[in-house]
Amino acid sequence: MFMRYRRNEGFRLEFGQPLDIQFRLEDGNGERTVSSSGDAKMLDISLQGMKIETDLNMPANRPSMSILVDYRIHKNNYQTRGQIVWKKPRANQWQYGIQFSHEEEIETQLLKDLKAFAKDQEHA
């Protein structure tokens, strides 16, 4: 696991051991759940989004649909809404790029937790 710097993102935390997450699909404004809860692995995360992998084939680039992702970073639980902006087949799995649509206060706490998580992993 390491942090990779990208000019437009600040950094992206990649996990050597992907993190377990849960997600569900909703209509674009979050008023109606479109799917039941699904399991996935988080491969990496930045303040702008994450890459996940799952065996479910989901639609991408549909502005009328959002994804709600539940995950834990460091010692805090997060529930973040975003859009699936790309997908790629990978062996028997699908990888998805999710662009977040969260607020600045969540970004501030997430940044602290990402830094703490990375620091803990360096010393493990």
Side-chain angles (χ1 to χ4, degrees):
M1 184 219 32
F2 61 93
M3 284 192 280
R4 183 174 66 205
Y5 178 76
R6 288 189 180 174
R7 238 181 278 240
N8 59 346
E9 287 187 323
F11 70 87
R12 176 169 292 272
L13 187 62
E14 294 183 342
F15 302 101
Q17 179 68 36
L19 300 181
D20 292 329
I21 63 168
Q22 297 241 302
F23 67 90
R24 66 182 177 272
L25 300 177
E26 299 180 329
D27 67 0
N29 55 13
E31 291 179 7
R32 186 174 61 89
T33 300
V34 178
S35 74
S36 58
S37 184
D39 296 320
K41 299 284 187 185
M42 183 191 320
L43 304 176
D44 66 34
I45 187 170
S46 73
L47 295 180
Q48 289 75 37
M50 69 173 58
K51 180 171 35 171
I52 68 170
E53 187 171 79
T54 181
D55 58 353
L56 300 174
N57 184 356
M58 301 182 291
N61 290 317
R62 290 220 180 135
S64 63
M65 187 176 295
S66 62
I67 185 168
L68 187 65
V69 184
D70 294 310
Y71 56 100
R72 183 174 180 86
I73 298 289
H74 194 51
K75 298 175 183 165
N76 291 305
N77 294 319
Y78 290 89
Q79 187 174 70
T80 305
R81 184 169 279 110
Q83 296 288 318
I84 299 174
V85 293
W86 59 262
K87 77 178 187 179
K88 293 181 198 172
R90 191 76 157 183
N92 295 334
Q93 302 280 305
W94 291 91
Q95 289 186 352
Y96 296 92
I98 300 170
Q99 183 176 11
F100 293 149
S101 54
H102 55 64
E103 297 152 11
E104 192 172 316
E105 64 191 43
I106 293 173
E107 282 188 7
T108 301
Q109 184 60 49
L110 181 58
L111 179 59
K112 288 178 187 176
D113 285 338
L114 290 173
K115 287 179 178 180
F117 183 92
K119 186 175 181 179
D120 288 350
Q121 294 303 304
E122 287 176 5
H123 297 5

